Amino acid sequence: MIKNYFKIAWRNAQRQKQFTFLNILGLTLGIASCMVIGLYVHSEMTYDTFHEKKDRIYRINQPLIWGDWDKQFASTGPNVAVALQQDVPEFQEVTRLLELGPQTLRHTDLDKKQTLCREERYFAVDDNFFSVFTFPFLKGDSNTALHEPGSLVITHNTAVRYFGNADPIGKQIELKETDGSWNSYTVKAVLAEIPSRSHLQFDFLVSLHSFPQLMVNHGSKWIFTAFSTFG
């Protein structure tokens, strides 16, 4: 019986080739569209799911404070984190991330050979950053890696670029400041490569304690909306 059904269907398909083609094309497009939509949804739903506290992490947004635009954006002033910690006890941890933009870095090895690089993914963060986010450590202590001024956390590939196979912990990387001088930062920890499904992508994390003057000048401001704040 089933064999006869297939024979009839095949004969009808051969007699009405244009109709058959349109049906097959529509079915193919429908299946392909479903697959693309499914892959897109899966990609979106799997972002940042590797963090241990993924269900408790929130990004703080605010409306634009200039003009009449009332839509939300993901940047806040540095004092937002302070206010949340003081006034909203439900926030167990509040941490900030500041994108510092492209930076010129250099490393001098034991043979006085210098490695000079222009780095794009360079951020300053609070010392409790790893109390909120779970990025796997290869070397160093997540509890203390960012506590001291001049502390630097780098990814594995970054460590290989600057230090080869040598242990990078305790080694120095210099940052060229805006006035042309060079300041040294000490590598305190090395992270595994950042997962592709992380919306935070970086190669360097430097302790926010390294920029005391920045916080003196802007720390109490609400309009210096350069920080990403998470709690």
Side-chain angles (χ1 to χ4, degrees):
M1 180 73 70
I2 296 176
K3 185 177 180 180
N4 288 333
Y5 286 155
F6 275 109
K7 286 182 178 180
I8 294 171
W10 176 249
R11 288 169 183 168
N12 288 334
Q14 287 183 317
R15 282 199 301 267
Q16 304 179 49
K17 294 181 179 179
Q18 186 175 10
F19 181 73
T20 301
F21 172 77
L22 291 176
N23 276 322
I24 294 175
L25 178 62
L27 180 62
T28 303
L29 291 176
I31 293 173
S33 298
C34 288
M35 291 180 64
V36 170
I37 292 171
L39 290 171
Y40 174 79
V41 171
H42 178 267
S43 175
E44 291 296 303
M45 295 298 290
T46 54
Y47 260 82
D48 297 320
T49 56
F50 59 91
H51 296 297
E52 292 179 5
K53 302 175 182 177
K54 58 182 179 296
D55 297 328
R56 298 161 52 197
I57 299 175
Y58 294 85
R59 185 179 65 185
I60 313 303
N61 295 341
Q62 71 172 46
L64 189 68
I65 57 179
W66 296 277
D68 298 326
W69 189 50
D70 60 355
K71 293 183 179 180
Q72 301 283 317
F73 72 120
S75 297
T76 63
N79 209 33
V80 171
V82 178
L84 290 174
Q85 289 174 317
Q86 292 176 349
D87 300 334
V88 187
E90 287 79 9
F91 281 95
Q92 295 181 350
E93 297 277 357
V94 180
T95 194
R96 298 168 297 185
L97 179 144
L98 175 63
E99 184 175 3
L100 296 175
Q103 303 289 323
T104 301
L105 303 177
R106 73 181 181 188
H107 165 65
T108 305
D109 62 19
L110 296 177
D111 298 325
K112 305 301 181 182
K113 180 182 177 181
Q114 288 188 340
T115 300
L116 192 69
C117 294
R118 185 70 169 172
E119 302 290 352
E120 301 287 337
R121 305 196 304 179
Y122 193 93
F123 295 84
V125 294
D126 280 316
D127 55 16
N128 66 339
F129 180 80
F130 296 112
S131 297
V132 176
F133 296 102
T134 309
F135 290 100
F137 272 67
L138 299 179
K139 295 178 181 291
D141 185 352
S142 62
N143 295 317
T144 61
L146 294 165
H147 279 203
E148 298 177 2
S151 297
L152 198 62
V153 175
I154 61 178
T155 62
H156 172 69
N157 282 349
T158 303
V160 171
R161 281 196 289 118
Y162 280 84
F163 306 107
N165 294 323
D167 185 356
I169 300 299
K171 290 187 168 55
Q172 305 289 313
I173 294 179
E174 294 178 287
L175 168 69
K176 188 175 184 180
E177 305 291 351
T178 54
D179 61 1
S181 62
W182 293 87
N183 279 340
S184 294
Y185 293 82
T186 304
V187 178
K188 296 289 187 177
V190 178
L191 302 178
E193 285 311 297
I194 308 304
S196 60
R197 288 292 183 269
S198 170
H199 88 281
L200 296 177
Q201 295 290 331
F202 53 84
D203 297 315
F204 295 83
L205 294 178
V206 61
S207 172
L208 201 52
H209 295 309
S210 307
F211 309 99
Q213 195 58 48
L214 173 70
M215 302 313 293
V216 168
N217 294 340
H218 303 289
S220 61
K221 293 181 179 179
W222 294 84
I223 61 173
F224 180 47
T225 53
F227 287 78
S228 297
T229 303
F230 300 88

